[in-house]
Amino acid sequence: YQLKVKSEVTIKIYDILGKEVAALLNNEELEAGEHTMQSDASGLESGIYFVRLTVAQNSISRYMETKKIVLVK
């Protein structure tokens, strides 16, 4: 993902029922620029999950996107 300005970033993973199963970033302040992330999914079962990226500035949410992922082990 790419940030245009310094922002607070949250990335969380939810199961198909909407229960949070992992928090990869929780209001981490990141500099502007391109960022990448890898995650270890060994603690998750095969199935459908949703990854939500929230970007905030001064604790005000400016952008939110949710993507569906399929985990196959």
Side-chain angles (χ1 to χ4, degrees):
Y1 53 95
Q2 187 168 347
L3 302 174
K4 291 183 180 185
V5 297
K6 187 175 186 178
S7 303
E8 300 161 13
V9 177
T10 299
I11 300 177
K12 293 185 178 183
I13 300 176
Y14 298 89
D15 66 13
I16 193 73
L17 300 175
K19 178 183 170 191
E20 182 183 317
V21 294
L24 305 179
L25 291 176
N26 196 10
N27 292 324
E28 298 289 327
E29 192 169 308
L30 300 177
E31 296 295 327
E34 190 170 316
H35 300 270
T36 60
M37 170 176 273
Q38 292 184 353
S39 178
D40 178 12
S42 62
L44 300 176
E45 299 292 326
S46 294
I48 298 172
Y49 294 90
F50 297 91
V51 179
R52 177 173 287 162
L53 167 72
T54 305
V55 178
Q57 292 146 4
N58 300 322
S59 298
I60 299 172
S61 181
R62 299 286 183 199
Y63 178 80
M64 183 184 300
E65 184 173 359
T66 303
K67 297 280 188 174
K68 180 172 80 170
I69 59 171
V70 178
L71 178 62
V72 180
K73 291 188 171 184

